[in-house]
Amino acid sequence: MFKTIKNALKTPEVRKRLLYTLLLIVIFRLGCYITVPGVDTIALEEAMSSTDGIAGLINIISGGAFSRFSVFAMSISPYITASIVIQLLSMIIPSLERLTKEGGEQGRKKINKYTKILTIILALVEAIGLFLSYGSSGIFVDTSFLTGAVVVVGLVAGTAILMWLGDQITNKGIGNGISILIFVGIISGLPGFVTTIWDLIMTDAGFSTTGLLLAIGIIIGAIILIAGVVFVQQAERRIPVQYSKKVVGRKMVGAQNTHIPLKLAMAGVMPIIFASSFMTFPAMIIQIFVSDIATQTGFLAGLYKFSIATSSSSVGIGYTIANAIVYLLLIVGFTFFYTYATFNPAEVSNNIKKNGGFIPGIRAGKPTTEYLSSVISKLTWFGGLFLALIAIIPMFLRFTNLNIAFGGTSILIVVGVALETIQQLESQLVMRHYKGFLE
């Protein structure tokens, strides 16, 4: 990793992309401290002294912007939700499906345009909901229409700016723009994690041996967790492929042996991000219509507690267990969805057959498709369940005395995005034929 970064800094064009990305990250972090107009900062500090549930999850992803009610308070969550909706609709609506599969570059641009339009609509709805939900807490100078309009416009504009920053990082930076913004937001809470560990060791009564052992255990557990995530993200199954001799023009091309690399977690970190957003979406909608839902009872209150169980310690163990089961199914489901969206066994099988290749021991055509589908299915089940379990197990640690800033989901996102970013740098170095990198 460090060698890749060193080589990237030596390459002028890649170094320019890195510096441009860092500049946009600085702009993002500065925006997290710009409070929306119309907010009473003193009342805000009192109201946001403890963020839990959906507010806590948004606050983690936004890098603390939600607790400050900054212009980036909603983070990029409306865009994530819009992406989920558009991709699910593309499986139902034939015209969207054609754009996704056959539209090429123009189709991708249209899908991106629809996603952005839906993002603004969802951001508008969420911003109105936030204003109505927190209006009774006194964090606004008043609850008039003018103040509400200013707050809503500020929040929607912040989400639009984050979309633009993500696009710029993707197109002119090092890539993975949206993922990098989420990554930066999460790791900005690292000082809080260090403070938590320090408080375990140095209590009000002085040095604590028990706290020291507990802190060491947490650090070792985090290292093991990160190592496991790296292993799954990097592990791959190599399917051998042999190509027979054939005539190309006037030349005879000799037989070749190659392989198809199939990763355990081919979908990357996006299933985790999408599953988290999908689980907390009902709580966002309910909060728009019922401001004090957390203190009520009934079906909506139960649905709200179920929805926030991913990130809240205030709900019971029953809600957490139910949430964990659904969360696991969503992660596995989105893993399968993204895997088969990026890897089509029938298409790969046809390409192998057209080029005169075959998998040893497997007949070309339909048997190859069935073999690849079987391998992909097994790998995806293992990778999806592994990632889901890592995301779920830390949820139950909240019922202990531990208050850890980084959960399994946060670690999965951070490690996954870091690995994808390094791979992006390596691919850019290879495209530019960097001699020092290739040696």
Side-chain angles (χ1 to χ4, degrees), residues 125-341:
V125 173
E126 186 177 343
I128 295 173
L130 287 175
F131 179 76
L132 296 177
S133 299
Y134 288 91
S136 59
S137 61
I139 69 172
F140 304 114
V141 292
D142 57 64
T143 55
S144 64
F145 174 80
L146 182 59
T147 301
V150 171
V151 171
V152 169
V153 170
L155 291 174
V156 174
T159 298
I161 292 172
L162 286 179
M163 275 198 304
W164 180 82
L165 290 176
D167 285 343
Q168 295 304 304
I169 293 175
T170 300
N171 299 327
K172 299 181 181 179
I174 58 177
N176 297 327
I178 300 299
S179 298
I180 286 180
L181 293 180
I182 297 174
F183 171 85
V184 172
I186 293 175
I187 64 171
S188 66
L190 186 60
F193 175 73
V194 175
T195 302
T196 301
I197 296 297
W198 179 255
D199 290 340
L200 287 175
I201 301 173
M202 300 300 297
T203 62
D204 295 335
F207 178 80
S208 172
T209 304
T210 304
L212 175 62
L213 295 176
L214 186 59
I216 293 174
I218 292 173
I219 294 173
I220 293 175
I223 293 173
I224 294 174
L225 182 60
I226 292 172
V229 174
V230 172
F231 172 78
V232 172
Q233 294 282 359
Q234 297 295 90
E236 63 182 25
R237 168 77 181 275
R238 296 183 176 182
I239 306 296
V241 179
Q242 294 182 1
Y243 290 95
S244 57
K245 293 182 179 181
K246 61 179 181 178
V247 179
V248 179
R250 296 183 178 180
K251 296 182 179 179
M252 175 69 72
V253 179
Q256 294 180 347
N257 294 328
T258 183
H259 65 269
I260 304 173
L262 302 178
K263 289 186 173 295
L264 279 177
M266 194 177 298
V269 74
M270 292 309 295
I272 303 294
I273 299 175
F274 275 26
S276 299
S277 299
F278 196 88
M279 286 300 298
T280 54
F281 183 72
M284 293 182 185
I285 299 299
I286 293 172
Q287 274 190 329
I288 294 175
F289 300 100
V290 186
S291 59
D292 57 343
I293 187 64
T295 61
Q296 297 187 11
T297 58
F299 173 75
L300 286 180
L303 179 60
Y304 175 80
K305 291 177 181 178
F306 165 78
S307 181
I308 68 173
T310 303
S311 55
S312 174
S313 58
S314 61
V315 298
I317 186 68
Y319 287 108
T320 301
I321 293 174
N323 181 283
I325 294 173
V326 177
Y327 192 37
L328 183 148
L329 295 175
L330 282 175
I331 292 175
V332 174
F334 278 120
T335 302
F336 270 92
F337 175 78
Y338 266 87
T339 299
Y340 281 97

Side-chain angles (χ1 to χ4, degrees), residues 230-241 258-268 335 338-349 352 359 362 367-384 423:
V230 172
F231 172 78
V232 172
Q233 294 282 359
Q234 297 295 90
E236 63 182 25
R237 168 77 181 275
R238 296 183 176 182
I239 306 296
V241 179
T258 183
H259 65 269
I260 304 173
L262 302 178
K263 289 186 173 295
L264 279 177
M266 194 177 298
T335 302
Y338 266 87
T339 299
Y340 281 97
T342 56
F343 185 90
N344 188 334
E347 183 178 343
V348 173
S349 175
I352 293 174
I359 298 175
I362 307 296
T368 299
T369 302
E370 293 175 349
Y371 175 75
L372 291 176
S373 298
S374 175
V375 173
I376 281 289
S377 178
K378 293 175 183 177
L379 294 178
T380 306
W381 271 115
F382 178 85
Q423 290 172 358

Side-chain angles (χ1 to χ4, degrees), residues 43-52 67:
L44 175 67
E45 186 175 354
E46 295 177 358
M48 295 293 184
S49 58
S50 177
T51 52
D52 200 2
S67 61

Side-chain angles (χ1 to χ4, degrees), residues 400-411:
T400 65
N401 294 326
L402 297 176
N403 184 20
I404 303 174
F406 284 89
T409 301
S410 299
I411 292 178

Side-chain angles (χ1 to χ4, degrees), residues 36-60:
V36 174
V39 174
D40 186 339
T41 54
I42 298 176
L44 175 67
E45 186 175 354
E46 295 177 358
M48 295 293 184
S49 58
S50 177
T51 52
D52 200 2
I54 180 61
L57 180 61
I58 296 176
N59 194 50
I60 291 174

